[in-house]
Amino acid sequence: MKKVILAAVAVFVVLASFSGCAKNSQKGDPDFDLSTLDFVNTDWERHTGSCTETIYFNDDGNCGYYCACGNPVNDDDLCEGYSYNPETETIHLDFHSSVKGVVREIVVKSCDGENLVLDFDGDVRTFERASDDEVEDEEFHAGDALAYKEETYIYLEFPGDIFCYDLTKGLEDYEEDEFCPVDHEKWDIIFYNGGLFVLSSQAEEAIEYYSDRANYTWSVIIYDSNDDPLRGPYPLNISDEGSDFIYTMEDLERDKTLAFDDIENFASLVKISNDGFISGTASLAARDGVWYWRSEIIDDSVEGWPEYVVILPESIQTQINNYISKGTSYE
């Protein structure tokens, strides 16, 4: 699954189930049988180019909307439930009244079994039924071709690992549906419709560079559960063994859960290419001084917001805890 996001490293928030209901005037019908809807109990994916987003609605009233790395989309981790109004074909997201600036109603434009079209307050998004195929390739690789100024550019497909990838340079003036040349010291790169394209004659070299783990540096950004100021980024010394573990975390068995109320600290594990152009982040959480990678939500979560988790290698945990104990402020 390809993961690229167009944002600076985002503040870590805990991914949780969110839900919604279609509207009559304000609420959906709490007595409506959700199991009769064509789009329930199915994962739907939206490939934006900047991220692979997954949305789902279950017939028990739970649903979720999150990026491939585990971060919630549109603050939907703050949603408490969902219901549906069949008359208006609208989903109502049950946020607490104190939550501001979120989309509370989603209009279901269509669902044909393979595609789900949703209207988020005028922002129409099309989702495809999620494939069961797993991505075995952890490297960057070539995708579709694009013609630009009589040259051929190759789409840079991002790998299927645990990271959300950011494009950190040259996109200040980017607008949707416009070609945006990117300032890169070595390669001719353009950004278009959420995708990164490299001049075809340079694509092989660029793919090889970004696929080499040696061309990245590691760091951590720490966030406190009581909303204290962000701290970091702090450099991490990660061995080859630790790197191998990180890149295989997605395939490890998740036999633990982590309740939201028990979390003491949040953090983002960050890797940045040595040319400074691409960075990737993965979300971390700590309980009793032990650091975990958050992988995905549990549909039947009851107490708090438990999630499947994988414990990080001790050497990485020690470095993060040392930074916390020093209390160094953000620089």
Side-chain angles (χ1 to χ4, degrees):
M1 186 177 294
K2 315 305 181 286
K3 301 181 265 269
V4 192
I5 59 174
L6 301 179
V9 175
V11 174
F12 176 89
V13 290
V14 175
L15 173 64
S17 293
F18 89 107
S19 26
C21 78
K23 64 181 179 181
N24 38 35
S25 57
Q26 294 181 347
K27 296 284 186 177
D29 182 358
D31 298 323
F32 180 77
D33 185 359
L34 299 174
S35 66
T36 62
L37 297 171
D38 293 336
F39 54 84
V40 300
N41 301 328
T42 300
D43 286 349
W44 302 92
E45 292 181 347
R46 174 175 178 252
H47 305 285
T48 66
S50 62
C51 182
T52 297
E53 300 172 352
T54 300
I55 194 169
Y56 68 86
F57 301 87
N58 288 340
D59 60 12
D60 61 359
N62 287 320
C63 55
Y65 190 11
Y66 54 92
C67 178
C69 66
N71 285 338
V73 178
N74 296 350
D75 288 331
D76 288 317
D77 57 313
L78 304 176
C79 195
E80 300 175 349
Y82 92 94
S83 56
Y84 183 80
N85 186 326
E87 295 181 1
T88 58
E89 298 184 337
T90 306
I91 297 167
H92 177 80
L93 307 181
D94 187 14
F95 290 95
H96 189 274
S97 59
S98 62
V99 179
K100 307 298 181 182
V102 294
V103 175
R104 297 175 181 270
E105 296 177 341
I106 304 173
V107 178
V108 180
K109 304 288 287 185
S110 66
C111 180
D112 61 9
E114 295 299 323
N115 296 279
L116 174 64
V117 182
L118 302 176
D119 185 341
F120 292 73
D121 194 21
D123 181 7
V124 178
R125 306 176 188 179
T126 299
F127 298 83
E128 300 176 349
R129 182 182 292 273
S131 171
D132 293 331
D133 296 337
E134 296 184 0
V135 177
E136 298 179 357
D137 190 356
E138 290 185 355
E139 299 181 344
F140 290 75
H141 52 281
D144 297 334
L146 174 72
Y148 175 66
K149 290 188 175 180
E150 299 183 355
E151 296 281 1
T152 300
Y153 285 75
I154 304 298
Y155 177 51
L156 185 60
E157 297 267 7
F158 283 66
D161 53 35
I162 70 168
F163 292 94
C164 288
Y165 287 92
D166 309 327
L167 308 182
T168 59
K169 285 188 175 181
L171 298 177
E172 293 83 1
D173 300 324
Y174 168 72
E175 294 184 12
E176 195 72 23
D177 297 325
E178 290 188 4
F179 292 98
C180 178
V182 176
D183 182 19
H184 193 281
E185 60 185 15
K186 191 171 185 180
W187 300 305
D188 295 310
I189 296 176
I190 60 173
F191 200 83
Y192 178 71
N193 266 359
L196 184 67
F197 293 81
V198 183
L199 188 66
S200 58
S201 60
Q202 303 169 345
E204 183 176 353
E205 182 182 8
I207 289 170
E208 181 179 0
Y209 178 86
Y210 290 122
S211 296
D212 188 348
R213 298 181 194 176
N215 291 326
Y216 291 85
T217 57
W218 298 87
S219 62
V220 63
I221 297 176
I222 301 167
Y223 309 92
D224 290 340
S225 57
N226 59 357
D227 294 328
D228 280 352
L230 169 153
R231 288 181 284 170
Y234 303 131
L236 291 176
N237 181 15
I238 296 182
S239 64
D240 291 341
E241 182 179 357
S243 176
D244 289 340
F245 182 91
I246 290 171
Y247 279 97
T248 58
M249 284 196 299
E250 195 166 32
D251 300 323
L252 298 178
E253 180 179 357
R254 284 83 147 172
D255 57 356
K256 299 179 181 295
T257 59
L258 193 62
F260 175 75
D261 291 341
D262 294 334
I263 297 175
E264 299 167 348
N265 292 100
F266 306 121
S268 290
L269 178 65
V270 183
K271 69 170 189 176
I272 301 179
S273 58
N274 291 339
D275 64 356
F277 186 65
I278 291 177
S279 67
T281 65
S283 300
L284 308 177
R287 178 178 63 186
D288 298 330
V290 179
W291 283 92
Y292 303 84
W293 168 60
R294 306 180 313 116
S295 56
E296 56 188 275
I297 63 172
I298 299 176
D299 294 342
D300 58 356
S301 60
V302 177
E303 182 177 343
W305 288 331
E307 303 171 24
Y308 292 108
V309 294
V310 175
I311 299 177
L312 291 179
E314 185 174 351
S315 60
I316 300 176
Q317 294 191 55
T318 299
Q319 294 179 71
I320 298 176
N321 287 330
N322 285 341
Y323 285 127
I324 291 178
S325 64
K326 294 178 181 178
T328 307
S329 60
Y330 175 71
E331 298 178 356

